[in-house]
Amino acid sequence: MGIVKDRILVINPGATSTKLAVYDGEVALFQKTIEHMTQDLEGFTDVFSQYQYRLKLVTQILEDKEIAIETLAAVVGRGGLLKPLEGGTYRVNEEMVEDLKEAERGEHASNLGAVIAYNLGKQLDIPAFIVDPVSVDELEPVARISGLADLERISLSHALNMKAVAHKVAGQMGRQYEDLNLIVAHLGTGISVTPHKEGKMIDVNNAKAEGPFSPDRCGGLPADQLLNLCFSGKYTYHELREKLSNKGGLYSYFQTVDLRQVEAMAQEGNDRADLVLDALAYQVAKEIGAMATVLMGEVDRIILTGGIAHSKRIVGDIVKRVKYIAPVDVIPGEEELEALAFGALRVLRKEEKAKTYN
């Protein structure tokens, strides 16, 4: 069985899910989300120890869908925590894989996307790509200043989905993305809020360390209290890092990352759950307000996207606070699988050239 022209396998590993798709050109043959409960991943010491577990899921789904891997023309994975780079489609190379393994910019499940794609590509002798990884950096110089000379603010965000929905909303408005001022909030396992000015993400909260808390991340914390906690002896370095990155947010209050469970608690009369949910929407709205000042109040549209945008409660609470700034569009879920596929497709069709990571 030979390669099918423009058949692309898409792999998007996230903190609590692995999302897969196969596209023939612009047409999705299937899309599949495999959810991982906390207990499914507790036995793994780090992200890369999950490699075989996630790879087996990929190959099993292809078998279940009766799609032979030999028919693939390309593999595209979600980009991980790489060095700062401009947006676009990149061919995965050994340098990229080594940087993701070393994880100098942090551990995240998305680091596995390029690695799985690269190894499958080598096995099948087909190209492997990533598109708009989380390390896309288009910050203006003023946005890099942290307030401490030892530290510079860095750009880590859900760039892939945010750029994809920004293009989509621009099209619905009959406008070009590059001609609009937008604020896009990706509400998922991590939360990114970014102002888009003339096609560039000119500022963003680092979703691993700043901004609103999320299902399993703490977001920005009071620095003085955090410093005291670091030296309190209560936690080791690795325990505290795990708490900040994977066991903060909703998990720290309720030992679950499932927003639906916390909403159910609130509906059953749990006052603490009710308050924490209010705080989640409050912090997102506050971040959107801050980004409106970056655009000097000239905002054409606010976009809410990501998995949490399915929540009527959270979205309703955010909209009430920000609708005075600009009209709000809600695009629940993610456009990431399609965005990954289309980025690879443009290269296969020679509509654009793949960039080189170095």
Side-chain angles (χ1 to χ4, degrees), residues 15-270:
T16 59
S17 68
T18 299
K19 298 176 182 178
L20 302 175
V22 171
Y23 279 76
D24 277 357
E26 292 88 354
V27 179
L29 299 184
F30 78 88
Q31 294 184 348
K32 176 77 173 178
T33 297
I34 306 162
E35 294 189 358
H36 310 301
M37 303 307 292
T38 303
Q39 56 267 30
D40 295 332
L41 303 178
E42 280 182 337
F44 297 104
T45 56
D46 55 28
V47 166
F48 265 85
S49 64
Q50 300 174 21
Y51 174 80
Q52 290 296 338
Y53 166 73
R54 302 250 191 177
L55 176 61
K56 186 176 180 181
L57 291 174
V58 172
T59 55
Q60 184 61 56
I61 294 299
L62 290 176
E63 288 179 16
D64 293 345
K65 298 294 183 181
E66 298 183 345
I67 295 177
I69 62 172
E70 293 81 10
T71 64
L72 300 174
V75 188
V76 57
R78 183 182 175 194
L81 301 174
L82 294 161
K83 298 171 183 175
L85 40 72
E86 64 181 1
T89 299
Y90 287 78
R91 187 180 292 270
V92 184
N93 55 23
E94 290 186 9
E95 290 84 357
M96 183 185 294
V97 171
E98 286 305 311
D99 278 358
L100 291 169
K101 286 182 178 178
E102 291 174 8
E104 289 187 3
R105 300 200 82 196
E107 291 268 353
H108 190 268
S110 62
N111 289 2
L112 289 170
V115 181
I116 295 174
Y118 180 70
N119 289 334
L120 283 175
K122 282 184 65 177
Q123 174 187 336
L124 300 169
D125 195 25
I126 58 175
F129 303 107
I130 63 167
V131 183
D132 285 331
V134 294
S135 58
V136 167
D137 186 343
E138 298 168 339
L139 298 189
E140 292 185 334
V142 69
R144 302 185 188 280
I145 302 300
S146 70
L148 182 65
D150 301 78
L151 306 175
E152 182 176 272
R153 293 187 65 246
I154 61 176
S155 179
L156 290 173
S157 70
H158 301 83
L160 178 65
N161 186 49
M162 291 194 292
K163 280 186 172 281
V165 297
H167 279 284
K168 185 172 186 176
V169 168
Q172 292 171 348
M173 296 172 64
R175 304 278 299 278
Q176 294 295 316
Y177 167 55
E178 293 78 10
D179 296 332
L180 294 172
N181 283 352
L182 305 168
I183 298 174
V184 185
H186 176 100
L187 313 177
T189 304
I191 293 178
S192 301
V193 183
T194 178
H196 296 234
K197 181 180 180 182
E198 299 175 354
K200 301 287 186 183
M201 301 193 311
I202 61 172
D203 199 346
V204 68
N205 64 284
N206 175 352
K208 288 181 68 68
E210 302 171 324
F213 70 85
S214 72
D216 68 358
R217 300 179 197 173
C218 298
L221 294 173
D224 190 56
Q225 295 176 56
L226 178 60
L227 184 63
N228 290 337
L229 185 61
C230 289
F231 289 91
S232 67
K234 186 175 180 179
Y235 303 106
T236 67
Y237 169 83
H238 294 290
E239 287 171 343
L240 188 55
R241 188 166 188 83
E242 174 72 5
K243 182 174 282 289
L244 296 178
S245 299
N246 299 312
K247 294 185 177 178
L250 294 181
Y251 185 87
S252 71
Y253 292 99
F254 308 109
Q255 288 68 60
T256 180
V257 297
D258 192 332
L259 179 72
R260 295 164 296 187
Q261 292 182 18
V262 182
E263 288 186 328
M265 294 177 197
Q267 289 171 359
E268 292 167 1
N270 186 319

Side-chain angles (χ1 to χ4, degrees), residues 6 8 25-26 340-351:
D6 294 345
I8 300 166
E26 292 88 354
L340 287 167
F342 286 12
L345 186 62
R346 289 192 296 270
V347 172
L348 291 180
R349 292 179 174 175
K350 296 182 169 38
E351 295 171 2

Side-chain angles (χ1 to χ4, degrees), residues 287-305:
E287 194 74 14
I288 290 171
M291 295 307 183
T293 68
V294 172
L295 296 172
M296 300 185 182
E298 297 180 2
V299 184
D300 295 298
R301 200 63 56 96
I302 297 168
I303 306 171
L304 305 180
T305 186

